[in-house]
Amino acid sequence: MEEGTSKSPSHCERTYGSDGHLDPFQWDTREDCEVRQILDRVADKWSLLVIALLDRRVLRFTELKREIDGVSQRMLTVTLRQLERDGLVKRTVHPVIPPRVDYELTPLGRTLHTTIRSLVTWTEQHQNEIAAAREEYDAKEAATVS
């Protein structure tokens, strides 16, 4: 089992808003909170790229490695194992020589891809604003250092 993950879901603290009602958009920030663990996994940059690449297609390990710039073989292996453990990716080993292993999204993984696509769309729509904010911030920092 991966360090830092629990075998069974833990119950997170419930977060209440200022009106005293349960706030469904908050989660416990403790490390053992299952929601935090899942968010840490699916929001990881390698996981996001793997899920995006597997949208509606099956790929072999070498194809994924070639498509993801900068990922090491070890990191891709770890990422795929974690996604498989979480039920997001299906790994199929074909009994041929040499062995062929295919990866594809599970139905659960496809639902996550829909959410990722929304995040990418938001990023594309706001990239100019973010670039401008970064330039403004960097200019202020440079003026402070001078």
Side-chain angles (χ1 to χ4, degrees), residues 17 21 25 27 29 59-60 63-64 68-69 75 78 82 84-85 95 120 126 141:
H21 290 93
F25 298 106
W27 57 88
T29 56
L59 293 173
R60 296 175 71 179
E63 293 170 316
L64 284 165
I68 302 174
D69 190 35
M75 196 69 238
V78 168
Q82 291 171 342
E84 183 181 10
R85 178 176 180 244
V120 170
H126 297 283
E141 286 295 306

Side-chain angles (χ1 to χ4, degrees), residues 127-142:
Q127 64 186 340
N128 293 335
E129 295 168 71
I130 293 169
R134 287 176 177 175
E135 286 179 22
E136 183 180 334
Y137 179 90
D138 293 345
K140 285 179 187 175
E141 286 295 306

Side-chain angles (χ1 to χ4, degrees), residues 9-120:
S10 60
H11 295 285
C12 300
E13 293 287 322
R14 294 185 184 266
T15 306
Y16 295 88
S18 58
D19 60 0
H21 290 93
L22 182 63
D23 185 350
F25 298 106
Q26 293 296 316
W27 57 88
D28 189 347
T29 56
R30 291 177 302 160
E31 192 171 338
D32 65 345
C33 177
E34 189 72 14
V35 172
R36 178 178 165 186
Q37 290 175 9
I38 294 168
L39 286 171
D40 286 348
R41 170 73 36 75
V42 300
D44 169 80
K45 70 178 178 178
W46 302 124
S47 295
L48 289 172
L49 291 170
V50 166
I51 292 166
L53 285 170
L54 292 177
D55 180 41
R56 295 192 182 100
R57 60 184 171 161
V58 176
L59 293 173
R60 296 175 71 179
F61 182 92
T62 53
E63 293 170 316
L64 284 165
K65 173 106 173 59
R66 188 178 19 222
E67 291 288 327
I68 302 174
D69 190 35
V71 70
S72 68
Q73 182 167 334
R74 182 187 183 290
M75 196 69 238
L76 182 55
T77 299
V78 168
T79 300
L80 287 165
R81 283 183 186 156
Q82 291 171 342
L83 292 172
E84 183 181 10
R85 178 176 180 244
D86 289 343
L88 302 171
V89 167
K90 178 183 174 193
R91 178 179 184 261
T92 304
V93 180
H94 300 278
V96 295
I97 297 177
R100 190 178 102 218
V101 181
D102 293 330
Y103 295 92
E104 62 185 305
L105 290 180
T106 63
L108 180 62
R110 284 193 292 278
T111 65
L112 180 57
H113 184 268
T114 302
T115 301
I116 291 170
R117 191 176 324 124
S118 297
L119 180 61
V120 170

